[in-house]
Each structure stands twice: as structure tokens, then as C-alpha cells.
Amino acid sequence: MICENHTRVTEFLLLGFTNNPEMQVSLFILFLVIYTVTLLGNFLIVTVTSVDPALQTPMYFFLRNLSLLEVCFTLVMVPKMLVDLVSPRKIISFVGCGAQMYFFFFFGSSECFLLSMMAYDRFVAICNPLRYSVIMNRSLCLWMAVGSWMSGVPVSMLQTAWLMALPFCGPNTIDHFFCDGPPVLKLVTQDTSMYEMQALASTLLFIMFPFSLILVSYIRIITTVLRMPSATGRQKAFSTCSSHLIVVSLFYGTASLTYLRPKSSQSPESKKLVSLSYTVITPMLNPIIYSLRNNEVKGAVKRTVTQKVLQKLDVF
């Protein structure tokens, strides 16, 4: 639709969190620390799961992919957010906004499916331990990982292309810290009910469908674990799933609050806090959760760090 008697928007203004200069500096330092911890933690997971022989299993293969996804996911929003916190004008071009939205949807959808693949891996490991190495072979794991990454393409292309093709002829102020679907949708100057129906359908498919797979997997896992005669065996089985369950709860719990209600009555401030939790906080917590709650990862980190230190001592 052409914007009659109006100029089509060519750039957007991101309001961010606050206009208070002192608060902006404090938030910049806080988010920079969080982002640094996120990058270091996830790259550490990628490194130790790649080089340590004890972690060359499907479980850690998927964990490595999750850490790479988290790095890409935060790269879409956080650097721009940090720049805006120290910039007088928080401007993003129309094309830049569309690109940010596309990659946000892409990596977010991919993470949903990757988490479901990780749940299936735990299901096979606990419910079919004798056939685990046969079922979760290298080829299947590779295809599952590729499928998870590529699953984000359809929803990101459809959501972004449709939304950015709608008429933006009026206000250009986005009350958010990045170009997310719901706040951008508020700026459209026509009825958006059709898009909202499509967005809800996409959300149910690309968020709730993988979540349903996770739910089914864990129902089967819990049923199998409760039948185990050994208390030690039950405890060990639950411990291998606890980290994944925490990550799933954090990611799905916060994301559902935003995307199951595109035009909800939540205040912009509360929406920003919810978005902040799954775009900034959760990617930082994931490597910490897996490191603290997994003895194999903790052992691999110690071995890797010790090896690096010894190598540096040998140099001197």
C-alpha cells in the first residue's frame, strides 16, 4: 500500500531504556559486562566441547551448537543497544530495522528447535541407553543440527517481509531497545489484524510445536526414570536433564509472554524487561548453568584452563 499524502518512514528512533545520561552510562557498563561474560562463557563452552576428548558425544555437540546460537542471537541486538546507550540519537534505518528483525526471528526460531533436539537426545539416552550410540549417530546429529539452524528461515522471512511491507507513514518512534515485532507493529498505519493472526499462527508453530516435542520427551523421560529401581540411577538421570530443563524454562517462559500476545496490555517498560531477560540475561546464564550443574563440563574447563596455563609457563 502506498502512503498517500504522507512520506514513508525511512528510519526509526529507538527510545531504549531511559533518557537520563547518568543512568545510560550505568546501563552501558552493566550490559557491557553482561555481554562480555556471555561471549566468554559461550566461547568457553564451544572450546572445551570441541577439544576435550571426553565431551565428543551428541549431548555436547548440541550444547556447542546452542552456545554458537546464543553468540549469534546476542550479536543481533546487544552491540546496537550498547552504541545507543552512549549516542545522542538512537537511530536505525528502515532496512537496518528489517535486517535486525529478520536475524532476531531467525536465531530465536532456530534455538526453539535446537532445544527440542537436545530434549530428544536426552530421551534416547535415558529411555534407550543400549541403542543410544546407534540411534544418535554422527550423521543424524549433523542433520538435526542443520535442520534446527535452517528452521528459522521460513518464519523469519515471512514475518519480516510481511511486516516491513506494511505502510509506515506516521510515527517512527519505537518504544523498545531493538526492532522487535510487537513494538514495530504498533507503528503500522492500517489494520493489522491479518498480520497478527499470521504472527500468532507462526508463534504457535515455531515456538509451541518444538515446546510440545520437549514436553513429550520429558514425559517419557520422567516415566522411565520413576521406574528405575536404583535411587542413584534416578538421581543421575535427572541430573543430566536438569540444566536443559532450566534453560528451556528461562527461554520459553519469557518469550511466550511477548509473542503469544503481540498487542497485549503490558506496559512498554515491562515488555522491555521481559525482552531483556531472553535476549541478554538468558544467553549469559546458559553457559553458567551448564558449567555449574555438569561435572563433565566443569572437569573439561579445569583441564582446558590448566593446559593453557602450563603452555604459557613453558613459553617463559
Side-chain angles (χ1 to χ4, degrees):
M1 179 180 292
I2 300 175
C3 297
E4 297 179 0
N5 301 325
H6 294 278
T7 303
R8 185 175 176 86
V9 171
T10 59
E11 62 181 19
F12 294 103
L13 172 65
L14 295 166
L15 290 185
F17 296 98
T18 178
N19 290 323
N20 187 317
E22 294 182 358
M23 182 65 71
Q24 287 181 336
V25 173
S26 300
L27 289 175
F28 175 83
I29 296 172
L30 174 62
F31 292 144
L32 180 61
V33 171
I34 292 175
Y35 188 49
T36 303
V37 173
T38 300
L39 293 180
L40 291 176
N42 282 290
F43 278 128
L44 181 62
I45 292 292
V46 171
T47 301
V48 298
T49 57
S50 299
V51 302
D52 195 286
L55 302 184
Q56 303 306 306
T57 63
M59 175 181 174
Y60 297 107
F61 170 75
F62 290 119
L63 178 57
R64 181 161 62 249
N65 276 269
L66 178 64
S67 292
L68 287 172
L69 258 178
E70 296 289 26
V71 170
C72 296
F73 192 59
T74 55
L75 187 63
V76 175
M77 289 85 61
V78 180
K80 172 62 177 170
M81 180 181 68
L82 292 174
V83 171
D84 286 343
L85 284 170
V86 293
S87 299
R89 296 186 70 221
K90 305 171 179 60
I91 297 296
I92 185 170
S93 67
F94 186 86
V95 174
C97 184
Q100 187 181 57
M101 192 183 304
Y102 172 85
F103 286 107
F104 172 72
F105 288 148
F106 173 80
F107 292 120
S109 300
S110 299
E111 184 164 341
C112 289
F113 278 89
L114 184 61
L115 289 172
S116 68
M117 297 300 102
M118 295 174 74
Y120 178 75
D121 171 69
R122 292 298 82 207
F123 159 72
V124 177
I126 294 173
C127 300
N128 296 281
L130 299 179
R131 301 182 59 210
Y132 179 70
S133 58
V134 176
I135 297 174
M136 300 300 297
N137 56 70
R138 185 180 182 86
S139 176
L140 178 62
C141 290
L142 182 60
W143 279 110
M144 289 170 68
V146 171
S148 297
W149 281 82
M150 292 298 100
S151 65
V153 173
V155 65
S156 56
M157 289 185 65
L158 178 61
Q159 295 273 65
T160 306
W162 191 345
L163 178 53
M164 301 310 286
L166 294 174
F168 292 88
C169 312
N172 69 333
T173 301
I174 301 175
D175 195 0
H176 211 24
F177 60 92
F178 73 100
C179 286
D180 195 6
V184 173
L185 185 64
K186 291 183 177 180
L187 304 182
V188 176
T189 52
Q190 74 169 32
D191 179 54
T192 60
S193 57
M194 287 295 295
Y195 177 83
E196 290 181 63
M197 292 175 59
Q198 174 271 327
L200 181 59
S202 297
T203 299
L204 292 174
L205 177 61
F206 287 92
I207 292 183
M208 300 311 296
F209 176 69
F211 179 74
S212 299
L213 296 179
I214 295 172
L215 190 62
V216 171
S217 296
Y218 274 104
I219 289 174
R220 295 289 301 276
I221 288 172
I222 292 172
T223 303
T224 301
V225 170
L226 292 178
R227 292 174 180 172
M228 292 180 177
S230 170
T232 304
R234 290 195 296 270
Q235 183 178 1
K236 183 178 179 180
F238 277 126
S239 66
T240 62
C241 302
S242 58
S243 299
H244 182 255
L245 276 172
I246 294 172
V247 170
V248 168
S249 300
L250 287 172
F251 182 79
Y252 276 96
T254 53
S256 298
L257 291 176
T258 299
Y259 296 102
L260 289 180
R261 297 181 299 171
K263 279 193 172 181
S264 67
S265 58
Q266 286 180 308
S267 67
E269 288 73 22
S270 62
K271 288 184 178 181
K272 291 176 190 178
L273 290 176
V274 172
S275 298
L276 191 67
S277 64
Y278 65 80
T279 58
V280 179
I281 305 301
T282 301
M284 178 193 68
L285 293 178
N286 286 354
I288 297 174
I289 292 170
Y290 274 100
S291 298
L292 293 179
R293 299 188 63 84
N294 191 302
N295 292 327
E296 290 181 327
V297 173
K298 284 191 288 186
V301 170
K302 291 178 182 178
R303 289 192 295 271
T304 302
V305 172
T306 302
Q307 184 179 8
K308 295 296 182 182
V309 172
L310 293 176
Q311 287 176 353
K312 289 185 177 180
L313 291 176
D314 289 340
V315 172
F316 292 105

